[in-house]
């Protein structure tokens, strides 16, 4: 499992952020994306659009070994133009050091994406937010860790 962080980065940049890896829903009305490499299998399964909740699971040799739960919401009635592109670009910048969401900060035009967390990949919690023209328009909470 020493390669978990590297695998998470590959999985995340090859699923939601890039809009790849779509698979059949694992639960009624879920949207699922998966990525496989070697002994690892990653599944991101979520519900909703504007307000959404989901879970990422990593399996190693068919055994669940890691998870992350998340809940996100738009704080404005309608997303500003370019919002989803900003979010996806930020998520493509996930790192092995913090393989949860995006980087600590990412700027795109008048958007500012921020992600902060406590803990390590084994046990963590954090938040993500996006500001547009200085006003917070989106927030997400996440937490998770190893499963044994």
């Amino acid at each position: 499992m020493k390669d978990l962080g590297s695998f998470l980065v590959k999985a995340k940049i090859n699923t939601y952020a890039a809009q790849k890896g779509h698979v059949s829903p694992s639960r009624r009305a879920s949207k699922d994306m998966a990525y496989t490499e070697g002994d690892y299998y990653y599944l991101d399964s979520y519900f909703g659009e504007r307000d959404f909740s989901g879970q990422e699971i990593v399996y190693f040799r068919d055994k669940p070994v890691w998870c992350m739960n998340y809940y996100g919401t738009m704080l404005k009635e309608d997303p500003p133009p370019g919002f989803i592109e900003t979010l996806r670009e930020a998520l493509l910048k996930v790192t092995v050091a913090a393989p949860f969401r995006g980087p600590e900060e990412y700027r795109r035009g008048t958007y500012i994406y921020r992600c902060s967390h406590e803990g390590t990949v084994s046990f963590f919690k954090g938040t993500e937010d996006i500001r547009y023209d200085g006003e917070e328009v989106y927030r997400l909470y996440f937490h998770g860790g190893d499963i044994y």
Side-chain angles (χ1 to χ4, degrees), residues 7 10 35-42 59-62:
F7 173 75
K10 290 176 189 172
Y35 178 79
T36 303
E37 183 177 284
D39 291 329
Y40 288 98
Y41 174 77
Y42 166 91
Y59 295 82
F60 182 74
R61 297 183 182 151
D62 296 324

Side-chain angles (χ1 to χ4, degrees), residues 18 22-24 47 52 56 67 71 77 82-84 98 107 134 147:
H22 295 277
V23 295
S24 297
F47 300 88
F52 58 94
E56 298 173 15
C67 74
Y71 175 78
E77 187 63 33
F83 167 80
I84 197 66
R107 293 176 180 263
I147 303 169

Side-chain angles (χ1 to χ4, degrees), residues 104-147:
E104 190 174 311
E105 185 173 294
Y106 173 69
R107 293 176 180 263
R108 180 179 185 264
T110 59
Y111 281 98
I112 300 173
Y113 166 96
R114 294 180 308 179
C115 184
S116 62
H117 73 278
E118 296 176 21
T120 67
V121 71
S122 295
F123 182 60
F124 61 90
K125 67 178 181 177
T127 61
E128 168 183 272
D129 67 74
I130 294 180
R131 294 181 175 278
Y132 176 70
D133 286 339
E135 182 179 5
E136 187 175 14
V137 297
Y138 160 85
R139 182 173 300 159
L140 178 133
Y141 298 95
F142 61 89
H143 66 274
D146 293 341
I147 303 169

Side-chain angles (χ1 to χ4, degrees), residues 39-106:
D39 291 329
Y40 288 98
Y41 174 77
Y42 166 91
L43 178 66
D44 181 4
S45 181
Y46 70 96
F47 300 88
E49 290 293 328
R50 183 183 177 283
D51 304 311
F52 58 94
S53 180
Q55 182 178 56
E56 298 173 15
I57 298 283
V58 172
Y59 295 82
F60 182 74
R61 297 183 182 151
D62 296 324
K63 178 183 174 198
V65 294
W66 184 89
C67 74
M68 182 174 83
N69 297 292
Y70 56 87
Y71 175 78
T73 186
M74 290 300 302
L75 303 173
K76 298 302 249 175
E77 187 63 33
D78 295 311
F83 167 80
I84 197 66
E85 293 83 2
T86 301
L87 175 61
R88 288 185 182 143
E89 284 178 20
L91 296 177
L92 285 169
K93 298 184 180 312
V94 63
T95 66
V96 173
F100 314 116
R101 298 288 292 171
E104 190 174 311
E105 185 173 294
Y106 173 69

